[in-house]
Amino acid sequence: MNQQLSKRLMLTSLVAAALGGILMGHSVTANAKAPEKIVSQTALKLKASKRNVEPNGKAGLYTKPSALKGERVVLSKKTMKKMDRSEDADHYLRAYRVARTNHRKVYYKVVTFDGKHRGWVYGGTKVNRFGGGLHEAKTYHELTRTSAEATKTYQFANPGTTHVTWQAPVGTTYKPSKVITTTTPYASDDLHVKSVVEREKGDKVYYYVASVQHPAINGWIYSGAVTPKTGDDGVSQQPESETATPGQPDPVTPSPETPGTPGGSINYSGKFSHTDAQVYRTGMTQETDKGIVSKVQKAYKNNVIKDLVEPFQYDQSMALATVSQKLGHGKRFTAEGGRNYVVVVSPTASSIVKLVPYTQVKWLNPKAAVSGLNGGILGMLVNEELKKQIQTAANLYYKLNYLGSWSSCHQ
């Protein structure tokens, strides 16, 4: 009797297990066939330069994610392939929104650099990592200034409205803005070339020029639109060193790392909350103890930015001085446990705020001069107090990157 009962129970268990497997398989199949729909859609939070992309022809541009019903073609795969091979800089795309579906597909909303076409492109399966029909684009590369570019004084070749100064090299970013609309009033200005870049599409070379008489017109201009000043032998302008001088930080020169900034030399945008601040254990090493990180971030919030509304949104329309002051650049505070920290604000870095132990920076020499603080775009943007803060940060950067270690800094 007991043996019969045992056999029946075993048989019942096997049948139930088989049925369970069938039902589970049916469930998976049904889920896979579920209608595709958008489960999330947000603004893309990558830096502007990281959102410059090119199509590769594997996906078209649509009015809505192509997996959804009712989408219409804006640009075909064939056209997108031609854009990738094109030398027209307007054929770059700027990605600005991202959507995910219940089938784990990712779509990016993009717009062409000239603003004429916008829509959705399949972008693979991972947010912030372009795949599918897109790949990240490097729209320019920096060049080393020639001897003439570094030392000669220039002037506008044909003053007028054809070639003016821009906030970023034309063709390297989405719809850059003009700094001035005509160069005629500045025909006799002395210009110095501070930085040189070459576009990837079209191969045009652009200069960042700084005016001696009118710094407000400083910006990027097509290299063919300026010419060496008549009679200039190249020795009147003191050239800035191309390499770091022992005991001095690198000269401050414009760089379109993320084109689109007023003047083209300081580029930043994003959101910040106190929990985004990076906490350092030493000058070179980040703190790995999450408990300590949390306490230092909390002390930073309560002692330095207690009146700041979070998340703090910043972009290139906000002066560097404003961003740095609001986030407490150069300020010192004490965390739980009694350790003192200093706030270092770097708007163009991957982490805008670094909290560094005060013992690692108190020895810095604040008198080592940083080139460029009293003229050009920096001279216009920062006040005397912030100049001192930038000075200290520049020394810190130099010692970390050129002396190689903190131990050597103390020698």
Side-chain angles (χ1 to χ4, degrees):
M1 187 70 176
N2 288 337
Q3 287 182 345
Q4 280 188 324
L5 180 59
S6 297
K7 289 180 180 178
R8 287 180 181 177
L9 289 174
M10 184 178 294
L11 181 60
T12 302
S13 299
L14 290 173
V15 172
L19 287 173
I22 293 171
L23 291 173
M24 184 178 293
H26 178 74
S27 176
V28 170
T29 303
N31 187 52
K33 293 182 178 180
E36 192 159 17
K37 62 181 180 180
I38 300 296
V39 295
S40 69
Q41 183 186 147
T42 59
L44 205 54
K45 296 179 180 179
L46 294 172
K47 286 185 177 181
S49 64
K50 297 295 183 181
R51 294 188 281 112
N52 293 332
V53 294
E54 288 181 280
N56 57 24
K58 295 181 181 179
L61 184 69
Y62 295 85
T63 54
K64 61 175 67 175
S66 58
L68 305 184
K69 293 182 179 180
E71 83 285 359
R72 299 193 314 277
V73 176
V74 177
L75 297 172
S76 67
K77 289 183 181 180
K78 185 177 181 179
T79 300
M80 296 282 266
K81 187 66 175 180
K82 289 181 178 179
M83 289 170 62
D84 185 32
R85 296 172 177 173
S86 167
E87 285 297 303
D88 187 345
D90 284 340
H91 291 163
Y92 282 122
L93 305 171
R94 168 64 62 80
Y96 61 98
R97 292 192 70 80
V98 59
R100 293 178 65 251
T101 74
N102 56 332
H103 290 182
R104 297 184 179 180
K105 291 182 179 179
V106 174
Y107 292 85
Y108 293 97
K109 193 168 188 181
V110 300
V111 58
T112 53
F113 269 18
D114 59 6
K116 290 183 178 180
H117 306 285
R118 69 177 67 229
W120 293 88
V121 182
Y122 173 61
T125 58
K126 296 182 179 180
V127 175
N128 295 339
R129 187 176 301 178
F130 298 107
L134 298 172
H135 60 87
E136 187 176 342
K138 179 69 174 176
T139 60
Y140 70 92
H141 60 273
E142 297 189 49
L143 301 176
T144 301
R145 289 179 301 171
T146 65
S147 177
E149 291 166 345
T151 61
K152 285 184 177 293
T153 299
Y154 289 75
Q155 290 186 323
F156 294 114
N158 296 293
T161 59
T162 302
H163 295 291
V164 296
T165 54
W166 296 75
Q167 292 178 344
V170 177
T172 65
T173 190
Y174 171 63
K175 298 180 74 173
S177 300
K178 293 179 179 179
V179 176
I180 52 176
T181 56
T182 178
T183 58
T184 300
Y186 315 103
S188 60
D189 277 28
D190 293 329
L191 307 173
H192 295 157
V193 176
K194 297 298 183 180
S195 193
V196 184
V197 301
E198 183 178 37
R199 291 188 346 195
E200 292 294 342
K201 282 185 181 290
D203 299 329
K204 284 189 175 182
V205 174
Y206 277 77
Y207 289 158
Y208 182 90
V209 295
S211 167
V212 174
Q213 293 88 348
H214 302 96
I217 74 169
N218 293 2
W220 295 93
I221 192 169
Y222 172 54
S223 61
V226 297
T227 186
K229 185 177 180 179
T230 302
D232 179 50
D233 58 8
V235 298
S236 60
Q237 179 184 350
Q238 293 297 319
E240 293 174 331
S241 173
E242 290 295 327
T243 57
T245 303
Q248 298 288 335
D250 272 342
V252 177
T253 54
S255 172
E257 181 180 350
T258 46
T261 300
S265 60
I266 304 173
N267 308 279
Y268 46 91
S269 63
K271 295 181 180 180
F272 173 79
S273 296
H274 73 279
T275 51
D276 297 325
Q278 286 187 350
V279 179
Y280 279 70
R281 182 170 67 252
T282 68
M284 297 290 289
T285 308
Q286 280 187 245
E287 180 59 68
T288 56
D289 188 316
K290 294 182 180 180
I292 294 177
V293 170
S294 179
K295 289 177 181 178
V296 175
Q297 290 173 338
K298 184 177 180 180
Y300 165 63
K301 174 178 174 60
N302 294 337
N303 293 280
V304 180
I305 57 169
K306 59 183 178 181
D307 297 324
L308 190 72
V309 177
E310 298 184 41
F312 170 60
Q313 294 184 317
Y314 59 95
D315 57 38
Q316 47 265 43
S317 66
M318 189 178 297
L320 171 63
T322 302
V323 177
S324 296
Q325 288 171 347
K326 284 184 177 292
L327 296 180
H329 179 72
K331 290 188 177 181
R332 178 178 165 185
F333 67 95
T334 303
E336 184 179 333
R339 194 173 195 187
N340 295 322
Y341 288 81
V342 172
V343 181
V344 178
V345 178
S346 304
T348 60
S350 57
S351 177
I352 187 172
V353 173
K354 294 179 175 63
L355 307 177
V356 184
Y358 179 65
T359 54
Q360 301 292 324
V361 298
K362 67 179 182 180
W363 46 267
L364 289 179
N365 175 18
K367 295 182 180 180
V370 174
S371 171
L373 284 183
N374 294 314
I377 191 70
L378 282 177
M380 291 189 297
L381 287 176
V382 301
N383 57 30
E384 291 302 318
E385 178 61 28
L386 188 57
K387 286 180 183 179
K388 295 178 183 177
Q389 297 173 2
I390 293 174
Q391 178 70 67
T392 301
N395 276 273
L396 174 62
Y397 177 84
Y398 170 72
K399 286 181 163 93
L400 284 175
N401 289 277
Y402 292 100
L403 298 186
S405 70
W406 282 93
S407 58
S408 64
C409 294
H410 292 279
Q411 295 175 357

